[in-house]
Amino acid sequence: MNTIAVIGAGTMGNGIAHTFAQSGFTVKLIDVSEKNIEKGMATIATNLDRMVSKGTISEEKRTETIANLITYTDLKDGVTGADLVIEAATENSDLKLKIFSDLNQYCSHNTILATNTSSISITHIASVVAHPERVIGMHFMNPVPIMKLVEIIRGYSTSNEVTKIIMELSTKLDKVPVEVNDYPGFVANRILMPMINESIETLYNGVAGVYEIDTVMKLGMAHPMGPLQLADFIGLDVCLAILNVMYDGFKNPKYAPCPLLVNMVRAKKLGVKSGEGFYDYSESKKAEKVSSQFL
């Protein structure tokens, strides 16, 4: 396996592309937006520069990594000839189904098709593919170049051979792959999102403030980042989408998103990417408490 196509140049897509390129693979980074491509490549370059300055990689490795990256705005051109395609588009079921339906037409039957979805059913995504045994989940953690975990999710029809290939490939990336089965939220988000949601409920009910909730979890539970700050980094819209997938999938009220989360997403207070969420990132790097207008 030499050529990897990554669909989506956003936070996860450019991180996945960076990781494969740094490991010596030829990577075809695909996005419908040239602006997104430019932004994604700039992010990769910045992250590589930071690694060089810290002595993590050499200047030569940085140059090699950039040389391993090729960009495309046309999906068919980008995936042609790829041994593995990893979809890292927005966490939207209809969009992912459309992408995989297109991949079914553009890719050979030997191409492994993976999705970086954090909650959507692999089995559902594979339903639009002629050979669903080659469809698998590769749920990377953010930031991809640093985080070791990759959730490898087997759909109902995913073959043992494909699972073995992807597990071994993840190890070659210096990651730790963990095999899980296809249920809403998988393992990571099935446990994480209810905790984040309960933290938002705790704020919503006036038990404590943003700083206080995060401090309790950091100092009392040894979490490196508080759940509300983590939600800001994930994106509140992404958190809401994952909770909705789990609520729809299990029909269990414990997964129902907190009204405060819903309102903040409606108000486009999405966290770091919008400049404001539970903390204010707009003018200062120092996080500030969210405005009381959202409580």
Side-chain angles (χ1 to χ4, degrees), residues 71-87:
T71 62
Y72 295 84
T73 54
D74 183 84
L75 180 62
K76 184 176 181 180
D77 289 345
V79 301
T80 299
D83 302 303
L84 167 67
V85 178
I86 304 174
E87 170 272 317

Side-chain angles (χ1 to χ4, degrees), residues 47-277:
N47 289 337
L48 287 168
D49 288 340
R50 187 180 296 115
M51 295 173 81
V52 170
S53 67
K54 290 182 177 180
T56 308
I57 63 171
S58 65
E59 184 64 45
E60 182 182 11
K61 172 59 75 172
R62 179 199 183 281
T63 302
E64 290 175 358
T65 300
I66 293 294
N68 286 335
L69 290 157
I70 312 166
T71 62
Y72 295 84
T73 54
D74 183 84
L75 180 62
K76 184 176 181 180
D77 289 345
V79 301
T80 299
D83 302 303
L84 167 67
V85 178
I86 304 174
E87 170 272 317
T90 305
E91 193 72 352
N92 178 285
S93 181
D94 290 340
L95 175 60
K96 291 183 187 295
L97 289 172
K98 174 63 170 63
I99 290 172
F100 274 79
S101 179
D102 289 340
L103 294 178
N104 186 55
Q105 299 178 50
Y106 302 151
C107 298
S108 76
H109 292 166
N110 296 321
T111 306
I112 296 176
L113 306 179
T115 173
N116 183 57
T117 181
S118 53
S119 61
I120 297 169
S121 168
I122 309 302
T123 305
H124 185 40
I125 291 172
S127 68
V128 297
V129 175
H131 294 272
E133 67 276 3
R134 62 187 169 133
V135 179
I136 195 166
M138 290 186 79
H139 180 207
F140 290 85
M141 304 295 123
N142 184 36
V144 181
I146 296 172
M147 299 293 281
K148 291 290 188 181
L149 175 66
V150 185
E151 270 190 309
I152 307 299
I153 307 104
R154 294 184 61 140
Y156 187 83
S157 301
T158 305
S159 71
N160 291 333
E161 180 185 6
V162 165
T163 303
K164 182 174 183 291
I165 290 171
I166 296 303
M167 293 284 284
E168 291 176 351
L169 177 64
S170 299
T171 302
K172 290 178 182 178
L173 297 174
D174 196 28
K175 302 297 185 187
V176 179
V178 177
E179 182 182 336
V180 305
N181 290 318
D182 186 22
Y183 291 95
F186 315 132
V187 171
N189 281 317
R190 183 168 180 172
I191 295 170
L192 174 63
M193 286 303 155
M195 182 191 73
I196 288 177
N197 198 45
E198 191 62 30
S199 301
I200 300 171
E201 285 280 0
T202 302
L203 176 65
Y204 180 58
N205 292 328
V207 178
V210 172
Y211 173 80
E212 291 75 17
I213 292 168
D214 277 356
T215 300
V216 166
M217 297 305 291
K218 285 191 288 184
L219 300 185
M221 313 307 166
H223 290 196
M225 184 183 292
L228 298 176
Q229 186 183 14
L230 178 56
D232 275 354
F233 275 82
I234 293 170
L236 302 191
D237 54 336
V238 175
C239 293
L240 179 60
I242 295 169
L243 284 164
N244 281 331
V245 166
M246 292 196 294
Y247 183 59
D248 290 342
F250 291 116
K251 307 301 182 187
N252 189 323
K254 75 178 180 179
Y255 299 114
C258 175
L260 173 58
L261 175 61
V262 174
N263 276 342
M264 290 181 71
V265 172
R266 286 173 176 166
K268 301 190 184 307
K269 306 300 181 182
L270 308 180
V272 174
K273 61 185 169 186
S274 70
E276 185 178 345

